[in-house]
Amino acid sequence: MSDAAYDLSPSVPTDGVRHVPAGTSLLIAGPPDVDKREVALEFLAAGQRRADGVIVVSVDLGARPLVAADESAGDTDDQRLRIIDATGFGTDDDDDRVVAVDAPTDLAGIGSAFGRQIERYVTMGTDGLRVGHLSATAMLERMDHGAVYKFLRTIIDRVDRGGYLGVSTIDTATCHEQTVAMLADAFDALVELRPTREGPEFRVSGLDAGLSWTSLTI
Amino acid sequence: MCAHRFNRSIVTDADSTSTVLVVEDDDDLRETYWPWLGGDFEVVTASDGEAAPSAVDEMDGDPDIALLNRMMPGLSGRETLEALRERDLDTRYAMVTAVEPDIDIIEMGFDAYLTKPVTETAVREVIDRLQERNNYADALDEYTALLEKKQTLQAHRSDEELAESDEYQQLERRPEQLDEELDETGADDEAFVATLRGIEDER
C-alpha cells in the first residue's frame, strides 16, 4: 500500500482538500435532506476508479442495495469492493464480497471481519484502501454515544496506522449537536453538508487547507 | 435516538500490583509460575477449570490476566473461558496450548496464546503485551469519559462561563495529553478485535 494522498474525486474543487494524506478519516455531517451516503460513496468509489480497495461497514443498508448505490456512484463491479453487512438482517446474497455480522452491536465480529478483509487487500496488492462506515447515526440508535465513540476511535486508529482513508456519516438532525461534536473529535476532519436551492454545498474543517461553503457537484 | 448516558466512572489502578490467574492441571508447570512471576505479580492458581471461579472470588478484584491451559480434564480451557466470560470480568485471557492453535483464538474469545513448553520469557512477553492493551483500553475509556464531561459542560454553560471554569480548562488540557497517549499506544493488529470486544462487553 502506498503512502500517497487519497483523491476524494473531482467533485471536490480545491486541491488542498481534494487530496488528503494517507491515514485521514473524515466525518460527513449534515441534515436529512442532503444525501450524505452519496457523498461518502463518491469519496470511496473515487478510489476504486483508480487502484484502491474499498471496504464498507454497513449498519443502515443491506449489502444488495449498497452495492447498487455504490455502482451508481461510478464504482465498478469487481473484487476490490468488500462489504461487511452489519445490519443484523443477514444477507440472502451468495456474493462472496459480502460478509454478514450478527448484529450492529457485534463489535468484535465487525472487527474480525474487517481484519480479514484488510488481509485480502494486502495479498491483492491494491494501491490504497478506503474504509467506509455507514453510518454513525445508525450506530447511535443502538448504542450510547460513549461506546460509539470508542468503536469509531478504534477503527480510526487502525485506519491511521494502515495509512488508509476513512469515511463515516452522521445526521445532524437526528443526533444532538454535542454528540456530533464529540464523535467529530475522533476524526481528522469534518465535512459539513447543507442544502441550498442550487444544490448541496459543503465545507471542510480540520484539514490543513480548510474550505468554506462551496457547491458540490456529484 | 442518540441516548445520552453519563454514568461511567473512571477507574485507574496503575499503581497497584497486577494480578494473574493461572488455571493449569499440570502440577509442575502450575508451581513454576510462582517463582517466575511471584516477584512482580500477585499470582493465584487453580488446578482445574471447575476451581477457576472460586479462585477469582478469593482475589482482590478481577484478575488482570488469566492464563488458561487448553487441554484439561473436566472443563477445557475454552469452557473455562466461557465460564469466566459470563462473569464479565475486566480480564485479558491467554490460552496455553501444546500445539499451535488451528482455530481463530481471537474469535473464540482469547486475547493471546502461549505454546508449550512455556518459558519465563514467553510468559512475561504475553503479560506485557496484554497489559499494554489494557492501558490502551483504559486510556480510551478515560478519554471518552472526559469528552462526555466536556460536552455536558458545553451544553449547559455559556462561552463566558466556560472560559472562567477551571474544570473546563483542565478538561481541555487533559484530553490532549491522553490523545497523544492513545496515538502512541494504538491497538496492534492482534489487539484490534480484542479492543472492540472489550467495548462490546462494557456496554
Short mmCIF file of all heavy atoms in Angstrom, two decimals, chain B residues 25-66:
data_model
loop_
_atom_site.label_atom_id
_atom_site.label_comp_id
_atom_site.label_asym_id
_atom_site.label_seq_id
_atom_site.Cartn_x
_atom_site.Cartn_y
_atom_site.Cartn_z
N ASP B 25 -3.62 -27.80 35.02
CA ASP B 25 -3.74 -29.09 35.72
C ASP B 25 -2.37 -29.74 35.95
O ASP B 25 -2.23 -30.57 36.84
CB ASP B 25 -4.66 -30.03 34.94
CG ASP B 25 -4.15 -30.29 33.53
OD1 ASP B 25 -3.94 -29.29 32.80
OD2 ASP B 25 -3.94 -31.46 33.16
N ASP B 26 -1.38 -29.35 35.16
CA ASP B 26 -0.03 -29.91 35.33
C ASP B 26 0.63 -29.28 36.56
O ASP B 26 0.94 -28.08 36.57
CB ASP B 26 0.77 -29.60 34.05
CG ASP B 26 2.20 -30.13 34.13
OD1 ASP B 26 2.76 -30.19 35.24
OD2 ASP B 26 2.75 -30.46 33.06
N ASP B 27 0.82 -30.13 37.61
CA ASP B 27 1.30 -29.61 38.90
C ASP B 27 2.64 -28.88 38.77
O ASP B 27 2.82 -27.81 39.34
CB ASP B 27 1.45 -30.74 39.92
CG ASP B 27 0.11 -31.39 40.23
OD1 ASP B 27 -0.92 -30.71 39.99
OD2 ASP B 27 0.08 -32.54 40.69
N ASP B 28 3.57 -29.50 38.03
CA ASP B 28 4.91 -28.91 37.90
C ASP B 28 4.86 -27.52 37.26
O ASP B 28 5.44 -26.58 37.77
CB ASP B 28 5.83 -29.82 37.06
CG ASP B 28 6.15 -31.10 37.80
OD1 ASP B 28 5.99 -31.09 39.05
OD2 ASP B 28 6.54 -32.09 37.16
N LEU B 29 4.14 -27.46 36.14
CA LEU B 29 4.04 -26.17 35.45
C LEU B 29 3.35 -25.14 36.33
O LEU B 29 3.79 -23.99 36.44
CB LEU B 29 3.31 -26.34 34.11
CG LEU B 29 3.12 -25.06 33.28
CD1 LEU B 29 4.45 -24.36 33.00
CD2 LEU B 29 2.41 -25.37 31.95
N ARG B 30 2.25 -25.56 36.97
CA ARG B 30 1.49 -24.63 37.80
C ARG B 30 2.37 -24.04 38.89
O ARG B 30 2.35 -22.83 39.12
CB ARG B 30 0.28 -25.34 38.41
CG ARG B 30 -0.71 -24.37 39.06
CD ARG B 30 -1.95 -25.06 39.59
NE ARG B 30 -1.63 -26.04 40.63
CZ ARG B 30 -1.77 -27.35 40.48
NH1 ARG B 30 -2.22 -27.86 39.34
NH2 ARG B 30 -1.46 -28.18 41.46
N GLU B 31 3.17 -24.89 39.52
CA GLU B 31 4.03 -24.43 40.62
C GLU B 31 5.16 -23.53 40.11
O GLU B 31 5.69 -22.71 40.83
CB GLU B 31 4.62 -25.62 41.37
CG GLU B 31 3.58 -26.50 42.07
CD GLU B 31 2.65 -25.73 43.00
OE1 GLU B 31 3.13 -24.80 43.68
OE2 GLU B 31 1.44 -26.03 43.02
N THR B 32 5.53 -23.72 38.81
CA THR B 32 6.63 -22.95 38.25
C THR B 32 6.27 -21.47 38.06
O THR B 32 7.13 -20.61 38.08
CB THR B 32 7.05 -23.53 36.87
OG1 THR B 32 7.13 -24.94 37.01
CG2 THR B 32 8.38 -22.99 36.44
N TYR B 33 4.97 -21.21 37.88
CA TYR B 33 4.57 -19.82 37.67
C TYR B 33 4.92 -18.93 38.87
O TYR B 33 5.17 -17.75 38.72
CB TYR B 33 3.07 -19.72 37.37
CG TYR B 33 2.70 -20.13 35.95
CD1 TYR B 33 1.97 -21.29 35.70
CD2 TYR B 33 3.08 -19.35 34.86
CE1 TYR B 33 1.62 -21.67 34.40
CE2 TYR B 33 2.75 -19.71 33.56
CZ TYR B 33 2.02 -20.87 33.34
OH TYR B 33 1.69 -21.24 32.06
N TRP B 34 4.92 -19.53 40.07
CA TRP B 34 5.21 -18.76 41.29
C TRP B 34 6.60 -18.12 41.22
O TRP B 34 6.71 -16.90 41.28
CB TRP B 34 5.11 -19.64 42.53
CG TRP B 34 3.70 -20.01 42.85
CD1 TRP B 34 3.09 -21.18 42.55
CD2 TRP B 34 2.73 -19.22 43.54
NE1 TRP B 34 1.79 -21.18 42.99
CE2 TRP B 34 1.54 -20.00 43.60
CE3 TRP B 34 2.74 -17.94 44.08
CZ2 TRP B 34 0.39 -19.53 44.20
CZ3 TRP B 34 1.59 -17.48 44.69
CH2 TRP B 34 0.42 -18.27 44.74
N PRO B 35 7.66 -18.95 41.11
CA PRO B 35 8.99 -18.34 41.05
C PRO B 35 9.17 -17.40 39.86
O PRO B 35 9.89 -16.42 39.95
CB PRO B 35 9.94 -19.54 40.94
CG PRO B 35 9.10 -20.73 40.65
CD PRO B 35 7.73 -20.42 41.14
N TRP B 36 8.51 -17.69 38.75
CA TRP B 36 8.64 -16.84 37.57
C TRP B 36 8.03 -15.46 37.79
O TRP B 36 8.61 -14.45 37.45
CB TRP B 36 7.93 -17.47 36.37
CG TRP B 36 8.69 -18.58 35.71
CD1 TRP B 36 9.98 -18.93 35.95
CD2 TRP B 36 8.21 -19.46 34.70
NE1 TRP B 36 10.33 -19.98 35.15
CE2 TRP B 36 9.26 -20.34 34.37
CE3 TRP B 36 6.98 -19.60 34.04
CZ2 TRP B 36 9.13 -21.33 33.41
CZ3 TRP B 36 6.85 -20.60 33.08
CH2 TRP B 36 7.92 -21.46 32.77
N LEU B 37 6.79 -15.48 38.32
CA LEU B 37 6.00 -14.25 38.31
C LEU B 37 5.77 -13.64 39.69
O LEU B 37 5.42 -12.47 39.82
CB LEU B 37 4.63 -14.50 37.66
CG LEU B 37 4.66 -15.10 36.25
CD1 LEU B 37 3.23 -15.42 35.79
CD2 LEU B 37 5.31 -14.13 35.27
N GLY B 38 5.95 -14.49 40.74
CA GLY B 38 5.59 -14.08 42.09
C GLY B 38 6.20 -12.76 42.54
O GLY B 38 5.57 -12.02 43.31
N GLY B 39 7.40 -12.45 42.07
CA GLY B 39 8.06 -11.21 42.49
C GLY B 39 7.38 -9.95 41.99
O GLY B 39 7.42 -8.91 42.66
N ASP B 40 6.76 -10.04 40.83
CA ASP B 40 6.20 -8.83 40.22
C ASP B 40 4.68 -8.80 40.19
O ASP B 40 4.08 -7.75 39.99
CB ASP B 40 6.71 -8.69 38.78
CG ASP B 40 8.22 -8.55 38.72
OD1 ASP B 40 8.74 -7.73 39.50
OD2 ASP B 40 8.86 -9.28 37.94
N PHE B 41 4.08 -9.97 40.35
CA PHE B 41 2.63 -10.03 40.23
C PHE B 41 2.04 -10.78 41.42
O PHE B 41 2.72 -11.55 42.07
CB PHE B 41 2.21 -10.78 38.95
CG PHE B 41 2.79 -10.20 37.70
CD1 PHE B 41 3.98 -10.70 37.17
CD2 PHE B 41 2.16 -9.14 37.05
CE1 PHE B 41 4.51 -10.16 36.01
CE2 PHE B 41 2.70 -8.60 35.89
CZ PHE B 41 3.88 -9.11 35.37
N GLU B 42 0.74 -10.52 41.65
CA GLU B 42 0.03 -11.34 42.61
C GLU B 42 -0.52 -12.52 41.80
O GLU B 42 -1.30 -12.33 40.86
CB GLU B 42 -1.11 -10.53 43.23
CG GLU B 42 -1.83 -11.24 44.34
CD GLU B 42 -3.15 -10.56 44.68
OE1 GLU B 42 -3.24 -9.32 44.57
OE2 GLU B 42 -4.09 -11.30 45.02
N VAL B 43 -0.03 -13.73 42.12
CA VAL B 43 -0.41 -14.91 41.34
C VAL B 43 -1.36 -15.80 42.13
O VAL B 43 -1.09 -16.15 43.28
CB VAL B 43 0.84 -15.72 40.94
CG1 VAL B 43 0.45 -16.91 40.05
CG2 VAL B 43 1.85 -14.84 40.20
N VAL B 44 -2.47 -16.16 41.53
CA VAL B 44 -3.41 -17.10 42.14
C VAL B 44 -3.57 -18.26 41.15
O VAL B 44 -3.71 -18.04 39.95
CB VAL B 44 -4.77 -16.43 42.41
CG1 VAL B 44 -5.81 -17.44 42.87
CG2 VAL B 44 -4.62 -15.33 43.45
N THR B 45 -3.54 -19.49 41.67
CA THR B 45 -3.64 -20.63 40.75
C THR B 45 -4.84 -21.51 41.07
O THR B 45 -5.33 -21.54 42.20
CB THR B 45 -2.38 -21.53 40.83
OG1 THR B 45 -2.26 -22.03 42.16
CG2 THR B 45 -1.13 -20.76 40.47
N ALA B 46 -5.30 -22.21 40.03
CA ALA B 46 -6.36 -23.22 40.19
C ALA B 46 -5.90 -24.44 39.41
O ALA B 46 -5.31 -24.30 38.34
CB ALA B 46 -7.68 -22.69 39.65
N SER B 47 -6.19 -25.63 39.93
CA SER B 47 -5.69 -26.83 39.27
C SER B 47 -6.65 -27.39 38.22
O SER B 47 -6.32 -28.33 37.51
CB SER B 47 -5.36 -27.91 40.30
OG SER B 47 -6.51 -28.16 41.08
N ASP B 48 -7.84 -26.83 38.12
CA ASP B 48 -8.73 -27.19 37.02
C ASP B 48 -9.77 -26.09 36.78
O ASP B 48 -9.89 -25.15 37.57
CB ASP B 48 -9.43 -28.54 37.26
CG ASP B 48 -10.20 -28.57 38.57
OD1 ASP B 48 -10.85 -27.56 38.89
OD2 ASP B 48 -10.13 -29.59 39.28
N GLY B 49 -10.49 -26.24 35.68
CA GLY B 49 -11.45 -25.21 35.28
C GLY B 49 -12.56 -25.00 36.29
O GLY B 49 -13.02 -23.88 36.51
N GLU B 50 -12.99 -26.10 36.92
CA GLU B 50 -14.09 -26.01 37.90
C GLU B 50 -13.71 -25.09 39.07
O GLU B 50 -14.56 -24.43 39.65
CB GLU B 50 -14.47 -27.39 38.43
CG GLU B 50 -15.32 -28.23 37.49
CD GLU B 50 -14.49 -28.97 36.44
OE1 GLU B 50 -13.25 -28.77 36.40
OE2 GLU B 50 -15.08 -29.73 35.66
N ALA B 51 -12.41 -25.10 39.41
CA ALA B 51 -11.96 -24.32 40.57
C ALA B 51 -11.68 -22.86 40.22
O ALA B 51 -11.45 -22.03 41.11
CB ALA B 51 -10.71 -24.96 41.16
N ALA B 52 -11.71 -22.55 38.91
CA ALA B 52 -11.34 -21.19 38.49
C ALA B 52 -12.23 -20.08 39.09
O ALA B 52 -11.70 -19.11 39.64
CB ALA B 52 -11.31 -21.10 36.97
N PRO B 53 -13.57 -20.23 39.02
CA PRO B 53 -14.41 -19.16 39.56
C PRO B 53 -14.16 -18.88 41.05
O PRO B 53 -14.11 -17.71 41.45
CB PRO B 53 -15.83 -19.66 39.33
CG PRO B 53 -15.71 -20.58 38.16
CD PRO B 53 -14.39 -21.25 38.34
N SER B 54 -13.99 -19.93 41.85
CA SER B 54 -13.77 -19.68 43.27
C SER B 54 -12.39 -19.08 43.51
O SER B 54 -12.20 -18.30 44.46
CB SER B 54 -13.98 -20.95 44.10
OG SER B 54 -13.22 -22.00 43.56
N ALA B 55 -11.43 -19.40 42.64
CA ALA B 55 -10.10 -18.77 42.74
C ALA B 55 -10.23 -17.26 42.49
O ALA B 55 -9.60 -16.45 43.17
CB ALA B 55 -9.13 -19.39 41.75
N VAL B 56 -11.09 -16.91 41.53
CA VAL B 56 -11.33 -15.48 41.24
C VAL B 56 -11.96 -14.80 42.45
O VAL B 56 -11.60 -13.69 42.83
CB VAL B 56 -12.22 -15.31 39.99
CG1 VAL B 56 -12.65 -13.86 39.82
CG2 VAL B 56 -11.49 -15.80 38.74
N ASP B 57 -12.93 -15.51 43.08
CA ASP B 57 -13.60 -14.94 44.26
C ASP B 57 -12.62 -14.60 45.37
O ASP B 57 -12.81 -13.65 46.12
CB ASP B 57 -14.66 -15.92 44.79
CG ASP B 57 -15.83 -16.07 43.82
OD1 ASP B 57 -16.02 -15.13 43.01
OD2 ASP B 57 -16.52 -17.09 43.87
N GLU B 58 -11.58 -15.42 45.47
CA GLU B 58 -10.59 -15.19 46.53
C GLU B 58 -9.73 -13.97 46.26
O GLU B 58 -9.09 -13.43 47.15
CB GLU B 58 -9.65 -16.41 46.64
CG GLU B 58 -10.22 -17.54 47.45
CD GLU B 58 -9.38 -18.80 47.26
OE1 GLU B 58 -8.16 -18.67 47.07
OE2 GLU B 58 -9.97 -19.90 47.26
N MET B 59 -9.68 -13.58 44.99
CA MET B 59 -8.80 -12.47 44.62
C MET B 59 -9.44 -11.14 44.99
O MET B 59 -10.64 -11.01 45.12
CB MET B 59 -8.50 -12.50 43.11
CG MET B 59 -7.79 -13.78 42.68
SD MET B 59 -7.53 -13.87 40.91
CE MET B 59 -6.00 -13.00 40.74
N ASP B 60 -8.55 -10.15 45.13
CA ASP B 60 -8.99 -8.82 45.46
C ASP B 60 -9.34 -8.12 44.15
O ASP B 60 -8.49 -7.52 43.51
CB ASP B 60 -7.81 -8.12 46.16
CG ASP B 60 -8.31 -6.93 46.96
OD1 ASP B 60 -9.53 -6.83 47.16
OD2 ASP B 60 -7.46 -6.11 47.34
N GLY B 61 -10.56 -8.26 43.69
CA GLY B 61 -10.95 -7.70 42.40
C GLY B 61 -10.70 -8.70 41.28
O GLY B 61 -10.28 -9.82 41.51
N ASP B 62 -11.00 -8.28 40.04
CA ASP B 62 -10.82 -9.17 38.89
C ASP B 62 -9.33 -9.35 38.58
O ASP B 62 -8.56 -8.42 38.73
CB ASP B 62 -11.48 -8.56 37.64
CG ASP B 62 -12.97 -8.33 37.82
OD1 ASP B 62 -13.52 -8.88 38.79
OD2 ASP B 62 -13.56 -7.62 37.00
N PRO B 63 -8.95 -10.56 38.14
CA PRO B 63 -7.55 -10.71 37.71
C PRO B 63 -7.32 -9.85 36.45
O PRO B 63 -8.22 -9.71 35.63
CB PRO B 63 -7.44 -12.20 37.37
CG PRO B 63 -8.83 -12.69 37.18
CD PRO B 63 -9.71 -11.81 38.01
N ASP B 64 -6.13 -9.29 36.33
CA ASP B 64 -5.83 -8.51 35.12
C ASP B 64 -5.60 -9.44 33.94
O ASP B 64 -6.00 -9.17 32.83
CB ASP B 64 -4.57 -7.65 35.35
CG ASP B 64 -4.80 -6.62 36.44
OD1 ASP B 64 -5.72 -5.80 36.26
OD2 ASP B 64 -4.10 -6.66 37.46
N ILE B 65 -4.91 -10.55 34.24
CA ILE B 65 -4.57 -11.52 33.21
C ILE B 65 -4.96 -12.92 33.68
O ILE B 65 -4.81 -13.23 34.86
CB ILE B 65 -3.03 -11.55 32.98
CG1 ILE B 65 -2.43 -10.14 32.86
CG2 ILE B 65 -2.65 -12.46 31.80
CD1 ILE B 65 -2.59 -9.46 31.55
N ALA B 66 -5.46 -13.75 32.79
CA ALA B 66 -5.71 -15.16 33.12
C ALA B 66 -5.02 -16.04 32.08
O ALA B 66 -5.16 -15.81 30.89
CB ALA B 66 -7.21 -15.44 33.17
#
